Amino acid sequence: MSPAPSAAPVVETERLRLRPHAPDDFEASLALWSDPEVTRFIGGRPAAGEEVWARVLRYIGHWTALGYGFWAVEEKATGRFIGEAGFADFRRTISPSLSGMVEMGWALAPSVHGKGYATEAVQGALAWGDAVFDVPVCCIISPGNGPSVRVAEKAGFRELTHTTYHDEPTVIYRRDPV
């Protein structure tokens, strides 16, 4: 299921660069995760600095330990950090279990919403993942998050089930190996 531990590769799409996180990404990641519009459907509250620092370190550690993880997403034209996307094993306590699947997630800055960047980042990450994973990929999305549902569906995810996670309604989506 997991590729050999490694450094994160750089994945490029037409307009985006998905690159490894570095400790220097903390401030940009903090700006992303402390924005109430970003966290409205992901955790429900802006994140504090210590939570974001742990998140950045977790992203770096996923690649080292598991051979996959999240990327920092940049606009190619400007080099500006605009979000994060990738794969993880968060060992969530959720029913049904996500065991046997790789979880995918994404979050982009509100300033770039509506430009198709989330779809492009997810498709770029999945192109890499399709060459690596031989198990399904899943994602969990709040049922009220219509834009993320559309991104998931465009990328080939299909609704698996409705459940709750941290006492909030959640939908699990699944995409079978290509």
Side-chain angles (χ1 to χ4, degrees):
M1 179 165 132
S2 295
S6 65
V10 173
V11 173
E12 295 201 4
T13 67
E14 182 181 342
R15 301 176 295 165
L16 304 175
R17 180 175 298 108
L18 284 63
R19 61 156 178 82
H21 280 85
D24 289 347
D25 291 318
F26 171 71
E27 292 297 331
S29 191
L30 178 61
L32 177 74
W33 289 106
S34 63
D35 187 316
E37 192 173 338
V38 171
T39 60
R40 177 177 169 204
F41 295 112
I42 307 172
R45 64 170 179 75
E50 67 185 80
E51 294 168 301
V52 174
W53 180 243
R55 178 183 290 272
V56 170
L57 295 177
R58 182 173 62 218
Y59 291 157
I60 295 167
H62 256 84
W63 287 101
T64 301
L66 301 176
Y68 61 89
F70 271 66
W71 288 274
V73 179
E74 295 179 337
E75 282 181 313
K76 273 187 183 177
T78 64
R80 179 174 62 126
F81 177 101
I82 60 166
E84 300 168 339
F87 306 101
D89 179 358
F90 292 130
R91 307 259 168 133
R92 294 186 193 273
T93 304
I94 191 170
S95 182
S97 171
L98 305 180
S99 180
M101 296 186 278
V102 173
E103 186 175 346
M104 182 172 207
W106 56 90
L108 274 72
S111 63
V112 300
H113 288 180
K115 296 184 176 188
Y117 283 172
T119 298
E120 190 172 329
V122 166
Q123 289 173 339
L126 283 168
W128 178 87
D130 287 344
V132 174
F133 302 124
D134 61 357
V135 298
V137 176
C138 67
C139 60
I140 64 171
I141 302 174
S142 168
N145 191 347
S148 279
V149 169
R150 287 188 293 279
V151 168
E153 290 174 344
K154 286 181 199 173
F157 287 91
R158 297 294 168 248
E159 186 177 303
L160 180 63
T161 192
H162 287 249
T163 187
T164 58
Y165 181 65
H166 291 169
D167 298 321
E168 293 294 328
T170 301
V171 182
I172 300 174
Y173 290 83
R174 174 184 167 134
R175 181 180 183 269
D176 289 321
V178 177

